[in-house]
């Protein structure tokens, strides 16, 4: 009997336990060929030893048992084989392991993403072995005594871009540099040692970097889940081939309208619509997990629903949002394209009409926010995620580049994560530091965001609450309550 770890599975060893997850790709509810849902698992220390001997190449049960016995010298090999068979069979039923009577059969049962078996779903399925009921983050918090663990790193490998999107938060004059390749490889090595799970690669336009393909290869070697943010206008056969090899890779791109004139007016590059649309079709044809983002602004408010329909026909998830943040240098000219509060109201009303689950999902979100505790964290920045730009500067998140918390050329990522005074300051902020929000009667209809505050404030103050989003919360609440009243009557 042969067994292997499926190629879309990420494994990390935390000494006293093991963590297994998959590439859940933007809220797609994934299933294997037998219809088994895929999620994440916490396994025991001994289970971690059993899982660690698996790799992406099929191995016989005898071979695996011999490797395991090196850790359990006093245990009979037949007992190890029986336990291994039971353990791997359980994980196979959960979608993490493939088996076969031959190596070929084992390989043929490996996971490959397909739009045929992907269900667009915003909820992730999370269960675990040994009746483990906590969420992964809850478990990590408890195990590490709430010591923040870096699990997600965003790397902007270049600020250069071949488009000039009118709403972009990066000042055009700053789009000039690419990350040094040696630095990028060093960052990935540091991430490997820190047990980072997910790497987001973006820019600017990341496909402009000469080493982009090699960066993807190194991420695959280190078993990172990779999310590429790209306009896809530079997609070619070599890049496509490398993406197809990596079952832990996913892509996110922006499409602003199905009218080329509207899309190209936003990117300010003629012909960009056709290139992006054709690249989307190519990725779907090759079963590469993809999400389309469609930021809604004045220019495409009457066209975004066409993008939603386009994605639905392809079984591709489309995210639409009216949140546009100011440039990170605290200039606000790009906000001229932002929707008025009245237009935001129209969008919310359209969501109510077009999405039968909108009220239900919003109700759940409201209930969660009602339990807001003043001691709660504001968001995940500097708690589970952080961002590095092409210069080596480290930021709390990609949009907040006016707040430099360190530089990877001067200090290691681990040193910045654990010792940076600015990281410590941001990490220690709690919702009580936003008294206006805590007392607000509309707080259930709003999400706190420090980068939105900081970028739009003339002095970059993250604690100065942005009135635009307060007004959105108010109108969101009114529409929601009116809708519930109408449904009751």
């Amino acid at each position: 009997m042969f067994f292997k770890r499926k190629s879309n599975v990420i494994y990390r060893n935390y000494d006293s336990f093991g963590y297994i997850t998959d590439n859940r790709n933007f809220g797609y509810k994934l299933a294997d060929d037998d219809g088994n849902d895929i999620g994440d698992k916490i396994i025991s220390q001994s289970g971690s030893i059993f899982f660690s001997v698996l790799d992406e190449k099929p191995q016989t049960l005898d071979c695996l048992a011999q490797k395991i016995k090196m850790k359990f010298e006093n245990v009979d090999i037949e007992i190890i084989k029986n336990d291994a068979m039971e353990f791997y069979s359980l994980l196979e039923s959960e979608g993490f392991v493939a088996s076969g009577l031959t190596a070929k059969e084992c390989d043929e049962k490996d996971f490959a993403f397909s739009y045929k078996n992907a269900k667009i779903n915003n909820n992730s399925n999370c269960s675990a072995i040994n009746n483990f009921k906590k969420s992964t983050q809850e478990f990590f918090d408890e195990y590490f005594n709430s010591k923040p663990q870096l699990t997600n790193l965003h790397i902007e490998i270049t600020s250069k871009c071949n488009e000039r999107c009118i709403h972009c938060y990066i000042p055009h004059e700053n789009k000039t540099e690419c990350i040094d390749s040696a630095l990028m490889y060093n960052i990935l090595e540091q991430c490997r040692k820190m047990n980072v799970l997910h790497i987001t690669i973006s820019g600017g336009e990341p496909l402009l970097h000469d080493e982009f393909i090699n960066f993807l290869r190194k991420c695959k070697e280190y078993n990172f889940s990779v999310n590429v943010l790209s306009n896809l206008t530079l997609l070619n056969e070599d890049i496509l081939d490398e993406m197809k090899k990596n079952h832990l890779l996913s892509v996110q791109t922006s499409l602003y309208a199905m009218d080329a004139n509207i899309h190209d007016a936003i990117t300010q590059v003629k012909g960009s619509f056709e290139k992006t649309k054709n690249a989307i079709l190519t990725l779907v044809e090759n079963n590469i997990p993809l999400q389309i983002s469609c930021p809604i602004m004045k220019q495409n408010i009457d066209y975004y629903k066409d993008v939603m329909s386009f994605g639905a026909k392809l079984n591709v998830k489309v995210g639409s949002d009216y949140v546009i943040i100011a440039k990170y240098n605290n200039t606000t000219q790009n906000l001229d394209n932002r929707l008025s509060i009245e237009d935001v109201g129209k969008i919310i009303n359209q969501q109510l009409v077009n999405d039968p689950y909108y009220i239900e999902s919003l109700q759940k979100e409201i209930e969660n926010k009602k339990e807001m505790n003043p001691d709660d964290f504001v968001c995940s920045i500097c708690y589970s995620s952080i961002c590095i730009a092409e210069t080596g500067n480290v930021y709390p998140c990609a949009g907040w580049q006016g707040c430099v918390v360190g530089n990877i050329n001067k200090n290691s990522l681990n040193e910045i994560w654990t010792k940076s005074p600015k990281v410590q300051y941001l990490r220690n902020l709690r919702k009580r530091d936003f008294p206006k929000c805590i007392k607000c009667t509309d707080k259930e209809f709003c999400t706190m965001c420090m980068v939105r505050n900081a970028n739009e404030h003339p002095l970059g103050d993250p604690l100065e609450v942005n009135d635009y989003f307060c007004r959105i919360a108010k109108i969101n609440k009114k529409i929601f309550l009116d809708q519930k009243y109408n449904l009751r009557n």
Side-chain angles (χ1 to χ4, degrees), residues 24 81 92-93 100 107 113 146 155 177 184 199 266-267 275 284 289 322 339 346 355 469:
R24 275 165 286 176
K81 286 172 64 175
E92 183 171 25
S93 71
D107 275 330
F113 176 86
S146 295
I155 310 175
E177 304 291 332
M184 177 65 173
I199 303 289
I266 292 172
T267 65
K275 290 179 180 178
V284 171
Y322 41 77
L339 296 181
K346 293 177 183 177
D355 184 354
F469 295 99

Side-chain angles (χ1 to χ4, degrees), residues 157-253:
I157 63 174
T158 180
S159 57
K160 294 180 179 179
C161 191
N162 58 340
E163 294 184 341
R164 288 291 180 265
C165 296
I166 58 177
H167 61 293
C168 184
Y169 61 81
I170 303 175
H172 295 329
E173 62 272 16
N174 293 350
K175 298 179 179 181
T176 59
E177 304 291 332
C178 284
I179 197 170
D180 179 76
S181 297
L183 177 61
M184 177 65 173
Y185 292 125
N186 182 266
I187 291 170
L188 294 177
E189 173 63 22
Q190 292 184 57
C191 288
R192 185 185 66 82
K193 292 178 179 178
M194 291 179 69
N195 270 336
V196 170
L197 297 168
H198 308 287
I199 303 289
T200 296
I201 296 178
S202 74
E205 173 46 54
L207 273 58
L208 283 169
H209 201 295
D210 293 339
E211 288 288 303
F212 174 74
I213 290 177
N214 290 328
F215 293 160
L216 292 187
R217 288 173 181 155
K218 183 59 69 173
C219 287
K220 184 176 188 298
E221 177 186 336
Y222 286 166
N223 192 224
F224 295 130
S225 166
V226 182
N227 181 13
V228 177
L229 309 186
S230 167
N231 60 43
L232 294 178
T233 58
L234 302 174
L235 184 70
N236 58 37
E237 286 298 325
D238 291 338
I239 295 172
L240 180 64
D241 287 344
E242 191 59 38
M243 287 180 171
K244 288 165 63 176
K245 294 175 185 176
N246 191 342
H247 292 166
L248 287 172
L249 178 140
S250 46
V251 178
Q252 182 174 343
T253 194

Side-chain angles (χ1 to χ4, degrees), residues 27-247:
Y28 283 106
K29 186 176 182 181
L30 302 184
D32 63 16
D33 291 337
D34 296 321
N36 299 311
D37 293 332
I38 304 171
D40 58 358
K41 302 290 181 191
I42 301 294
I43 56 177
S44 66
Q45 186 176 25
S46 58
S48 187
I49 293 172
F50 276 59
F51 193 84
S52 67
V53 299
L54 295 170
D55 57 35
E56 290 187 27
K57 293 182 179 179
Q59 300 174 75
T60 64
L61 183 61
D62 287 340
C63 177
L64 292 166
Q66 289 295 336
K67 291 181 179 181
I68 295 168
K69 186 168 174 57
M70 295 175 67
K71 298 289 186 179
F72 300 100
E73 295 180 1
N74 298 324
V75 181
D76 183 81
I77 190 69
E78 290 302 317
I79 293 176
I80 291 176
K81 286 172 64 175
N82 289 335
D83 287 350
M85 173 68 82
E86 181 181 355
F87 181 69
Y88 295 148
S89 297
L90 175 61
L91 289 181
E92 183 171 25
S93 71
E94 301 287 347
F96 296 107
V97 170
S99 71
L101 295 177
T102 65
K104 181 181 179 182
E105 181 185 355
C106 190
D107 275 330
E108 288 174 347
K109 291 167 69 176
D110 195 1
F111 176 89
F113 176 86
S114 169
Y115 284 94
K116 181 178 67 176
N117 63 10
K119 301 175 184 178
I120 297 177
N121 193 319
N122 289 321
N123 299 316
S124 62
N125 216 18
C126 180
S127 56
I129 294 172
N130 298 331
N131 297 317
F132 180 76
K133 298 299 182 183
K134 299 183 180 70
S135 73
T136 301
Q137 191 60 54
E138 286 173 336
F139 184 88
F140 278 17
D141 288 347
E142 182 177 308
Y143 179 81
F144 292 109
N145 296 317
S146 295
K147 181 181 178 182
Q149 299 298 303
L150 179 62
T151 56
N152 299 269
L153 181 68
H154 189 131
I155 310 175
E156 296 187 336
I157 63 174
T158 180
S159 57
K160 294 180 179 179
C161 191
N162 58 340
E163 294 184 341
R164 288 291 180 265
C165 296
I166 58 177
H167 61 293
C168 184
Y169 61 81
I170 303 175
H172 295 329
E173 62 272 16
N174 293 350
K175 298 179 179 181
T176 59
E177 304 291 332
C178 284
I179 197 170
D180 179 76
S181 297
L183 177 61
M184 177 65 173
Y185 292 125
N186 182 266
I187 291 170
L188 294 177
E189 173 63 22
Q190 292 184 57
C191 288
R192 185 185 66 82
K193 292 178 179 178
M194 291 179 69
N195 270 336
V196 170
L197 297 168
H198 308 287
I199 303 289
T200 296
I201 296 178
S202 74
E205 173 46 54
L207 273 58
L208 283 169
H209 201 295
D210 293 339
E211 288 288 303
F212 174 74
I213 290 177
N214 290 328
F215 293 160
L216 292 187
R217 288 173 181 155
K218 183 59 69 173
C219 287
K220 184 176 188 298
E221 177 186 336
Y222 286 166
N223 192 224
F224 295 130
S225 166
V226 182
N227 181 13
V228 177
L229 309 186
S230 167
N231 60 43
L232 294 178
T233 58
L234 302 174
L235 184 70
N236 58 37
E237 286 298 325
D238 291 338
I239 295 172
L240 180 64
D241 287 344
E242 191 59 38
M243 287 180 171
K244 288 165 63 176
K245 294 175 185 176
N246 191 342
H247 292 166

Side-chain angles (χ1 to χ4, degrees), residues 386-389 391-396 403-413 415-417 419-423:
I386 209 162
C387 175
I388 301 177
T391 59
N393 278 342
V394 182
Y395 309 112
C403 180
V404 180
V405 300
N407 188 288
I408 203 73
N409 291 300
K410 299 177 181 178
N411 300 99
S412 71
L413 182 57
E415 288 173 327
I416 295 169
W417 184 252
K419 297 179 180 179
S420 163
K422 289 186 178 179
V423 167

Side-chain angles (χ1 to χ4, degrees), residues 357-399:
Y357 302 105
Y358 182 79
I359 286 287
E360 181 182 342
S361 61
L362 187 56
Q363 183 68 58
K364 290 179 180 178
E365 187 176 342
I366 291 168
E367 291 301 319
N368 290 334
K369 289 179 180 178
K370 279 183 179 178
E371 300 174 4
M372 181 187 294
N373 188 314
D375 293 326
D376 288 344
F377 289 98
V378 180
C379 70
S380 64
I381 61 167
C382 297
Y383 188 73
S384 61
S385 64
I386 209 162
C387 175
I388 301 177
E390 77 287 348
T391 59
N393 278 342
V394 182
Y395 309 112
C397 64

